[in-house]
């Protein structure tokens, strides 16, 4: 089983698309930090938070030493990730886990630090490959996400929409 460390935006994207329950069927251990949980609480993301109370999402409590290391990481990256983002990146480094994020500066920081990083498009690909979502449903979910947020990579989104809508 692969460990997946998630930042807030991936959890929120899955919640918005109505796919959060489906994620847990892929069998990855899912973990995040208490800083991300704070962001979810502020944003009122009750569905994502409900998975914390059921144990589907494990929460790493950030100690003072861990936060100091996350701040050091944040100053080294210098490309914009905040402390919550750096906390999940540091956790992924410590656990040798993949990081799931759509945040461009965080993804850049992950690449610099040799951390496997994926976003919502990869997750949708996994759902289709595991036959948890049909291709037309995946296309509809992606279109819904694009309507909510225009920051998704347009070319990559279009490739998937074309592939998932194809009759082949």
């Amino acid at each position: 089983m692969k460990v997946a460390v998630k930042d807030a935006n991936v959890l929120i994207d899955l919640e918005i698309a109505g796919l959060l329950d489906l994620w847990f069927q892929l069998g990855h251990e899912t973990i995040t930090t208490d800083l991300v949980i704070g962001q979810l609480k502020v944003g009122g993301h009750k569905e994502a938070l409900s998975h914390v109370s059921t144990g589907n999402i494990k929460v790493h409590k950030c100690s003072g030493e861990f936060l100091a290391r996350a701040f050091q990481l944040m100053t080294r990256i210098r490309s914009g990730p905040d402390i919550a983002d750096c906390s999940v990146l540091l956790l992924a480094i410590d656990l040798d886990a993949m990081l799931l994020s759509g945040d461009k500066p965080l993804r850049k920081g992950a690449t610099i630090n040799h951390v496997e990083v994926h976003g919502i498009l990869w997750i949708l690909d996994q759902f289709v490959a595991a036959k948890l979502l049909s291709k037309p449903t995946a296309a509809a979910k992606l279109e819904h996400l694009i309507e909510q947020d225009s920051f998704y990579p347009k070319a990559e989104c279009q490739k998937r929409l074309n592939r998932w809508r194809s009759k082949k």
Side-chain angles (χ1 to χ4, degrees), residues 110-158:
T111 301
I112 290 167
N113 285 280
H114 310 288
V115 172
E116 178 184 355
V117 61
H118 303 288
I120 194 69
L121 297 177
W122 179 85
I123 294 170
L124 289 169
D125 288 340
Q126 299 304 299
F127 290 157
V128 170
K131 301 200 183 318
L132 294 171
L133 271 186
S134 69
K135 290 178 181 181
T137 301
K141 296 291 186 179
L142 179 54
E143 286 174 326
H144 177 68
L145 286 169
I146 292 168
E147 288 170 8
Q148 308 300 312
D149 185 349
S150 62
F151 295 105
Y152 295 106
K154 289 178 181 31
E156 287 300 314
C157 289
Q158 196 57 56

Side-chain angles (χ1 to χ4, degrees), residues 6-18:
K6 288 190 173 187
D7 81 344
N9 68 40
V10 167
L11 290 166
I12 293 166
D13 284 350
L14 288 169
E15 182 180 278
I16 288 169

Side-chain angles (χ1 to χ4, degrees), residues 14-163:
L14 288 169
E15 182 180 278
I16 288 169
L19 297 171
L20 198 50
D21 288 335
L22 211 56
W23 163 257
F24 300 102
Q25 293 182 40
L26 289 175
H28 298 290
E29 181 180 355
T30 305
I31 188 166
T32 195
T33 65
D34 54 358
L35 297 179
V36 169
I37 296 303
Q39 291 176 326
L40 294 173
K41 286 179 180 174
V42 168
H45 296 283
K46 292 180 176 142
E47 184 185 352
L49 292 168
S50 73
H51 285 283
V52 173
S53 59
T54 63
N56 285 336
I57 299 173
K58 294 175 178 55
V59 180
H60 175 82
K61 293 185 84 56
C62 298
S63 67
E65 183 269 333
F66 184 88
L67 285 173
R69 291 175 53 223
F71 272 113
Q72 287 174 341
L73 184 60
M74 189 169 72
T75 57
R76 278 198 324 263
I77 295 173
R78 293 186 310 219
S79 63
D82 65 17
I83 190 62
D85 290 338
C86 287
S87 74
V88 291
L89 175 53
L90 182 58
L91 186 59
I93 291 167
D94 286 354
L95 298 175
D96 191 26
M98 71 176 152
L99 177 64
L100 299 177
S101 174
D103 183 86
K104 191 173 184 174
L106 180 55
R107 291 171 62 89
K108 183 178 177 187
T111 301
I112 290 167
N113 285 280
H114 310 288
V115 172
E116 178 184 355
V117 61
H118 303 288
I120 194 69
L121 297 177
W122 179 85
I123 294 170
L124 289 169
D125 288 340
Q126 299 304 299
F127 290 157
V128 170
K131 301 200 183 318
L132 294 171
L133 271 186
S134 69
K135 290 178 181 181
T137 301
K141 296 291 186 179
L142 179 54
E143 286 174 326
H144 177 68
L145 286 169
I146 292 168
E147 288 170 8
Q148 308 300 312
D149 185 349
S150 62
F151 295 105
Y152 295 106
K154 289 178 181 31
E156 287 300 314
C157 289
Q158 196 57 56
K159 275 190 219 174
R160 281 165 178 84
L161 290 171
N162 292 343
R163 184 171 60 228

